[in-house]
Amino acid sequence: MLQGLMMKRPLSIPSILDYAAEVHGASTVVSADPGGQVNVQSYHDTRQRVLRLANALCEIGVTPGDRVATLAWNSHRHLELYYAISGIGAICHTINPRLFIDQIAWIANHAEDSVLFFDTDLADLVLQLKPRLPAGIRLIALCDEAGLPSGLPDGTESYETLVAGQPADFDWPDLPETTASGLCYTSGTTGNPKGALYSHRSTLMHAMSIILGVPKSFGVEQRILPAVPLFHVNAWGLPFSAPLSGSSLIMPGPRLDGPSLFDLMDEQAATIAWGVPTIWTGLIEEMKTRHRKPAKLHSLLIGGSAVSEAQIRTLEDDFGIEVVHGWGMTEMSPVGTATRVNRDQPFTVPVSDKLKQGQRLFGVEMKIVGEDGTEMKSDESEAGELLVRGNTVIADYFRGTEERDRTFDQHGWFRTGDVARISRQGDLTLVDRTKDLIKSGGEWISSIDLENAACTCPGVRQAAAIAIPDETWGERPLLAVVRAPGPGLKAEDVIDHLSNMMAKWQLPDKVLFMDELPMTATGKISKLALREQLARPPGDRPGTS
Ligand code: AMP
């Protein structure tokens, strides 16, 4: 085979910021801190700070391959960590602060994090976590010296002190483009969370593919607000695509309620925002109260859970904000599909098409298969399990998985656990999920964890958790329980017991007692039959209380 004769310069994450600082140096990163104070800095200034941080990381002994954790909201400092950590060849491990403390401790130990950067409003969580974190972990609070909260573990440093005094020049090492750059854990259906380990190459490919697939969001005239957290799969790639295309970034910090988002968007002239449907419910309520939208906002990308027809219609018809619906997964960097809207003629795609999950992005291949693994037709006539492959899809989990056959097919395609139809034009419509998980406000709740925890409650003989639709959260957990013989167990007893083992938002909204749970022929609880029973009017359900 004749080889091409082109240079092989590796794709690298810091090259994005080098480029943005030079070509889009005046575009800005706006960042609201937990108290609502706003910091504004250009991409040029951001790069200077990243170079200082890279020097500081090397000085404290971070070396290529090390995992450096963050427990933080969307801010300029978190963005700087993304670039400096990956730029020196280490791995930026973003941890979701909303997880239950046991899960955070498990994840930090599995990743063997050597440093933890955290936001000061999470100091109490860090204090509780400290004895369970990897030994010798270095703690750095994302603040200046004066902002260090009292009572932190000895030796906790401040970010600004670390960075101050470091030179603003640094020679990025020439890393192979397949070098790991980022790590994000996702809930497993069974067992512990699993880590998706991104590379410089996959991150660059993803950044470019979303600019191509969602062009309206990008360009120097756009000011984009990632309402999706930086700890959720790289805020869906925006920390990379925005500077690459010259869009300014508006980081909202921890305040994602409707009024705070509205004010920030209005004051900072946000034109675009990306996030899960639950976030937009809050913003819509605020827009209704004020009878207007944030001044410059023209488009929202909504993904992570299915968007409802009512939400699209309210945003588009009542407020003139165009909706783009996207689908993706942690394992896919994450965006896989998005609605293709006309850049110059907004609102021309019918709402019925926006309820679909969108068309595949360049580089993402999709197929659907039946239960026996045979490929099904991609003409929307058949639904099957959705499998994907591409440059932005994981080839394995961090430290591997014992369930390789359940994760990939024999040709290496990744099993998404979603059930879908695909059209000849690459349109995706999700119809169901094979994985036993509940997605509430964009965050996962494992049905199996909930059931296992419930079964340790005295008085519970059997338990099964299912998702019930919820207007605000998309889905909420319902727990069906069969009591053990003995004194009458109450719903409060079960909830009290679960509160010691799970985060508050993971607790079931409802505990329903049943005489028995429906079983499959092989003796497993039939979630299908349970959902079907509970969808009936209360009087028509067998043995519930
Ligand atoms: P995560 O890895 O947390 O990003 O979750 C990925 C999963 O969320 C997908 O496999 C789907 O089950 C679900 N999901 C993501 N986007 C959508 C969407 N637009 N519509 C319905 N479900 C979605």
Side-chain angles (χ1 to χ4, degrees), residues 319-387:
F319 293 104
I321 298 170
E322 181 155 54
V323 170
V324 170
H325 186 183
W327 163 88
M329 296 185 70
T330 305
E331 290 90 338
M332 297 177 69
S333 302
V335 187
T337 60
T339 318
R340 298 309 152 91
V341 293
N342 188 314
R343 221 187 148 120
D344 304 318
Q345 292 172 301
F347 310 111
T348 45
V349 175
V351 172
S352 54
D353 284 354
K354 291 195 171 172
L355 289 170
K356 297 179 182 178
Q357 274 67 20
Q359 278 177 301
R360 73 184 177 98
L361 298 193
F362 175 72
V364 176
E365 294 172 74
M366 308 190 296
K367 68 176 180 183
I368 49 169
V369 299
E371 272 177 24
D372 60 356
T374 35
E375 193 165 343
M376 300 166 86
K377 285 194 218 138
S378 293
D379 61 0
E380 281 193 315
S381 65
E382 299 179 316
E385 191 191 355
L386 176 66
L387 275 70

Side-chain angles (χ1 to χ4, degrees), residues 67-394:
R67 270 77 67 197
V68 176
T70 64
L71 203 52
W73 311 110
N74 291 7
S75 72
H76 61 296
R77 294 187 179 112
H78 203 173
L79 181 80
E80 290 158 12
L81 285 164
Y82 263 51
Y83 281 94
I85 296 170
S86 60
I88 66 166
I91 293 139
C92 180
H93 172 206
T94 52
I95 305 183
N96 181 348
R98 296 197 188 111
L99 294 178
F100 191 54
I101 192 161
D102 289 1
Q103 270 178 315
I104 299 181
W106 186 92
I107 286 172
N109 283 287
H110 188 261
E112 297 183 85
D113 295 322
S114 55
V115 185
L116 172 66
F117 287 88
F118 62 95
D119 266 326
T120 50
D121 61 332
L122 298 169
D124 285 347
L125 174 61
V126 173
L127 256 178
Q128 287 176 58
L129 268 171
K130 177 69 178 58
R132 302 169 64 184
L133 291 174
I137 193 166
R138 197 160 181 146
L139 299 179
I140 301 168
L142 293 169
C143 60
D144 57 20
E145 205 63 26
L148 273 177
S150 55
L152 282 172
D154 285 350
T156 304
E157 296 151 270
S158 93
Y159 181 91
E160 294 299 337
T161 307
L162 192 77
V163 170
Q166 293 289 345
D169 62 63
F170 187 88
D171 280 336
W172 297 118
D174 239 345
L175 304 166
E177 62 184 22
T178 48
T179 304
S181 58
L183 178 62
C184 182
Y185 282 75
T186 181
S187 289
T189 35
T190 52
N192 289 313
K194 300 182 175 78
L197 186 63
Y198 312 109
S199 67
H200 286 254
R201 176 183 166 77
S202 69
T203 304
L204 266 283
M205 299 300 293
H206 182 263
M208 292 190 269
S209 76
I210 59 174
I211 294 173
L212 288 174
V214 199
K216 233 182 133 171
S217 285
F218 299 103
V220 279
E221 66 287 7
Q222 303 305 339
R223 297 177 60 79
I224 186 158
L225 185 144
V228 49
L230 271 85
F231 58 75
H232 257 187
V233 212
N234 303 325
W236 297 350
L238 293 178
F240 307 111
S241 301
L244 194 57
S245 71
S247 317
S248 290
L249 274 168
I250 303 171
M251 299 297 202
R255 296 175 10 165
L256 296 176
D257 57 286
S260 304
L261 272 181
F262 190 108
D263 286 341
L264 187 65
M265 286 176 158
D266 214 31
E267 284 157 18
Q268 297 300 330
T271 58
I272 303 271
W274 287 25
V276 297
T278 304
I279 293 290
W280 307 130
T281 305
L283 182 70
I284 288 172
E285 275 167 23
E286 192 59 21
M287 294 196 300
K288 284 184 175 164
T289 308
R290 302 197 200 188
H291 305 291
R292 69 173 182 97
K293 64 174 183 171
K296 302 283 183 197
L297 187 67
H298 64 71
S299 180
L300 291 182
L301 182 132
I302 309 184
S305 293
V307 55
S308 70
E309 180 169 352
Q311 190 163 76
I312 301 178
R313 289 204 186 277
T314 306
L315 286 165
E316 297 205 334
D317 301 346
D318 300 352
F319 293 104
I321 298 170
E322 181 155 54
V323 170
V324 170
H325 186 183
W327 163 88
M329 296 185 70
T330 305
E331 290 90 338
M332 297 177 69
S333 302
V335 187
T337 60
T339 318
R340 298 309 152 91
V341 293
N342 188 314
R343 221 187 148 120
D344 304 318
Q345 292 172 301
F347 310 111
T348 45
V349 175
V351 172
S352 54
D353 284 354
K354 291 195 171 172
L355 289 170
K356 297 179 182 178
Q357 274 67 20
Q359 278 177 301
R360 73 184 177 98
L361 298 193
F362 175 72
V364 176
E365 294 172 74
M366 308 190 296
K367 68 176 180 183
I368 49 169
V369 299
E371 272 177 24
D372 60 356
T374 35
E375 193 165 343
M376 300 166 86
K377 285 194 218 138
S378 293
D379 61 0
E380 281 193 315
S381 65
E382 299 179 316
E385 191 191 355
L386 176 66
L387 275 70
V388 291
R389 73 173 178 191
N391 293 312
T392 58
V393 181
I394 60 158

Side-chain angles (χ1 to χ4, degrees), residues 503-523:
K504 202 161 168 250
W505 60 271
Q506 295 175 320
L507 299 175
D509 276 11
K510 192 167 176 161
V511 178
L512 196 75
F513 291 100
M514 301 184 72
D515 294 344
E516 57 182 20
L517 294 173
M519 306 299 274
T520 64
T522 54

